[in-house]
């Protein structure tokens, strides 16, 4: 009887603990926000500010069409809906904060007109200017423009004021990310020269322009979808190959400093569908605040014929002595007790 009682108590404790664990289990499924609406934040990135995680992403219009005038590749697109923002304190429950950067529907010549392309937005905070700075990929519908766009705001949720777009360092800027280092320097990392070369460009003091100092990396390797992070003094970059909306194998690279030299190391994903990056493409890596050497890698599982129904895969990164690994997990705990 006593044994049965102990078993009952243990089971009760186990069930209560499990209940309070935050388990990420919607890999590749529809992610609802706290109101039950589908999270629409693709090619996104995270900013952690004053105890809150902010997720920014491409808000994709709800009809997808093939741009027949583009003959060289399958130009599936959805109208640009601006940059959405969601907030969370536990990485599980995301509250929609509205559009951080809105489209400009009334001006057909604006970069932010729905007929244009707004991709891969990322936000960092500048503690000197006290501004939140957003960088994004701005495109013409046929993806020939290859500009970087910049916007600033006083609050993490916006509204962001658009400053315009340009070719940073005089070169194409397509898939891109922003990385702020511990010393306050920030960098834009972008696929350039028709995606042949990855540029790492130091930004100016207010983070709104290139400083003019940059390096060219992975020349001729056609890497895109860069996601950069730093652990124990080493810089890491996850990238995809170049196959449009279709998946390919993710590789990672390392460097001792942001400005290089960057060395491609090899594959990073393991487990089911690792060679297609779990049918997804990298977009961002963020450190989990308060946990040592704990990083989450974010991927987009694109659905090219129904782009706003593209899904999200988020997975923790495992550090081995000489390598990195992102193992497929159906579910894992955001308390970082791995399942
Ligand atoms: C991908 C890129 C996406 C989007 C897409 C368009 O290669 O990573 O962000 O631009 O091409 O086909």
């Amino acid at each position: 009887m006593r044994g049965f009682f102990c078993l009952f108590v243990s089971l009760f404790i186990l069930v209560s603990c499990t209940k309070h664990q935050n388990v990420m289990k919607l890999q590749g499924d529809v992610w609802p926000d706290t109101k039950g609406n589908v999270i629409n934040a693709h090619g996104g990135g995270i900013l952690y500010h004053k105890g809150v995680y902010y997720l920014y992403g491409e808000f994709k219009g709800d009809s997808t069409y093939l741009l027949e005038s583009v003959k060289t590749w399958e130009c599936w697109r959805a109208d640009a809906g601006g940059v959405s923002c969601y907030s969370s304190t536990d990485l599980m429950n995301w509250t929609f904060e509205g559009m951080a950067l809105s489209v400009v529907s009334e001006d057909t010549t604006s970069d932010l007109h729905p007929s244009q392309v707004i991709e891969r937005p990322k936000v960092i905070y500048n503690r000197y200017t006290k501004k939140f700075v957003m960088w994004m990929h701005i495109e013409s519908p046929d993806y020939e423009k290859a500009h970087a766009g910049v916007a600033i705001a006083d609050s993490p949720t916006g509204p962001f004021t658009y400053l315009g777009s340009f070719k940073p360092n005089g070169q194409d800027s397509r898939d891109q990310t922003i990385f702020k280092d511990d010393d306050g320097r920030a960098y834009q990392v972008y696929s350039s020269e028709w995606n042949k070369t990855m540029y790492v460009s130091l930004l100016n003091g207010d983070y709104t322009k290139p400083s003019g100092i940059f390096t060219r990396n992975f020349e001729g390797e056609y890497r895109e979808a860069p996601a950069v992070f730093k652990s124990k003094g080493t810089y890491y970059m996850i990238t995809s190959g170049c196959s449009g909306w279709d998946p390919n194998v993710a590789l990672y690279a390392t460097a001792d400093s942001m400005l290089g030299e960057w060395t491609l190391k090899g594959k990073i994903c393991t487990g089911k569908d690792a060679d297609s990056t779990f049918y997804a493409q990298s977009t961002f890596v963020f450190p989990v605040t308060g946990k040592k050497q704990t990083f989450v890698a974010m991927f987009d599982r694109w659905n090219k014929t129904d782009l706003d129904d593209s899904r999200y895969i988020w997975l923790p990164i495992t550090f081995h002595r000489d390598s990195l690994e992102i193992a497929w997990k159906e579910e894992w705990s955001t308390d970082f007790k791995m399942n």
Side-chain angles (χ1 to χ4, degrees):
M1 188 62 193
R2 201 161 156 213
F4 182 77
F5 179 71
C6 288
L7 182 68
F8 179 79
V9 170
S10 316
L11 271 176
F12 178 76
I13 293 172
L14 187 73
V15 169
S16 328
C17 291
T18 315
K19 222 174 120 198
H20 290 111
Q21 254 186 20
N22 288 319
V23 179
M24 178 77 79
K25 55 174 140 199
L26 293 178
Q27 303 289 18
D29 213 334
V30 167
W31 286 15
D33 67 12
T34 47
K35 288 206 167 135
N37 297 315
V38 178
I39 294 181
N40 193 336
H42 308 278
I46 296 273
L47 166 76
Y48 181 80
H49 188 73
K50 295 192 175 164
V52 180
Y53 293 93
Y54 295 92
L55 164 66
Y56 303 89
E58 306 157 15
F59 191 95
K60 291 196 175 291
D62 59 9
S63 79
T64 300
Y65 46 93
L66 185 64
L67 207 69
E68 305 278 1
S69 55
V70 177
K71 302 285 178 213
T72 44
W73 59 287
E74 270 191 322
C75 187
W76 289 101
R77 52 152 305 149
D79 279 1
V83 177
S84 54
C85 178
Y86 295 80
S87 65
S88 176
T89 50
D90 60 7
L91 299 175
M92 297 289 299
N93 298 292
W94 292 95
T95 300
F96 183 49
E97 299 285 353
M99 303 308 298
L101 181 70
S102 299
V103 285
V104 179
S105 304
E106 57 285 2
D107 179 2
T108 53
T109 65
S110 167
D111 283 351
L112 304 182
H113 188 265
S115 61
Q116 305 302 297
V117 176
I118 306 169
E119 287 183 350
R120 298 192 177 267
K122 307 289 177 301
V123 175
I124 50 175
Y125 178 62
N126 188 311
R127 68 187 171 101
Y128 305 104
T129 62
K130 303 207 175 339
K131 299 280 183 201
F132 296 85
V133 185
M134 179 188 292
W135 282 69
M136 68 212 98
H137 175 195
I138 291 288
E139 269 301 348
S140 46
D142 58 3
Y143 284 76
E144 298 247 331
K145 186 167 183 158
H147 276 197
V150 182
I152 54 171
D154 294 322
S155 144
T157 53
F160 278 76
T161 304
Y162 189 60
L163 302 182
S165 77
F166 50 89
K167 282 191 187 267
N169 302 301
Q171 292 289 346
D172 293 345
S173 180
R174 289 195 168 84
D175 281 9
Q176 65 105 47
T177 194
I178 299 292
F179 175 76
K180 186 168 105 172
D181 208 344
D182 310 325
D183 62 5
R185 288 175 205 225
Y187 302 81
Q188 189 208 4
V189 179
Y190 55 99
S191 303
S192 193
E193 302 173 7
W194 282 102
N195 292 338
K196 277 204 285 288
T197 308
M198 185 68 72
Y199 277 45
V200 178
S201 163
L202 176 67
L203 301 181
N204 68 349
D206 65 18
Y207 303 163
T208 59
K209 291 191 183 81
S211 67
I213 297 169
F214 66 92
T215 56
R216 297 170 64 251
N217 306 277
F218 316 142
E219 214 181 319
E221 297 286 345
Y222 289 89
R223 305 306 302 169
E224 58 179 11
V228 174
F229 61 104
K230 181 185 187 182
S231 176
K232 294 192 173 165
T234 299
Y235 297 83
Y236 297 90
M237 191 191 305
I238 301 175
T239 56
S240 74
C242 217
S243 51
W245 298 116
D246 298 326
N248 56 61
V249 62
L251 301 179
Y252 77 100
T254 61
D256 293 334
S257 87
M258 271 305 281
L259 290 169
E261 179 178 339
W262 284 91
T263 310
L264 278 171
K265 292 289 198 188
K267 299 179 186 181
I268 186 165
C269 298
T270 60
K272 193 176 93 165
D273 304 320
D275 280 353
S276 64
T277 314
F278 320 122
Y279 293 107
Q281 188 182 29
S282 45
T283 182
F284 201 72
V285 172
F286 62 92
V288 177
T289 303
K291 307 268 177 182
K292 265 199 191 146
Q293 236 198 353
T294 305
F295 294 84
V296 175
M298 299 162 57
F299 300 89
D300 295 286
R301 187 177 276 177
W302 299 118
N303 179 349
K304 66 181 176 186
T305 57
D306 191 1
L307 280 166
D308 73 318
D309 190 31
S310 299
R311 308 286 176 82
Y312 314 101
I313 309 277
W314 288 16
L315 289 165
I317 298 181
T318 309
F319 289 81
H320 299 298
R321 183 189 283 266
D322 294 315
S323 64
L324 285 187
E325 181 182 5
I326 300 177
W328 174 252
K329 289 181 199 307
E330 290 292 338
E331 52 184 64
W332 50 277
S333 164
T334 54
D335 299 331
F336 292 92
K337 298 178 195 103
M338 299 302 173
N339 289 329

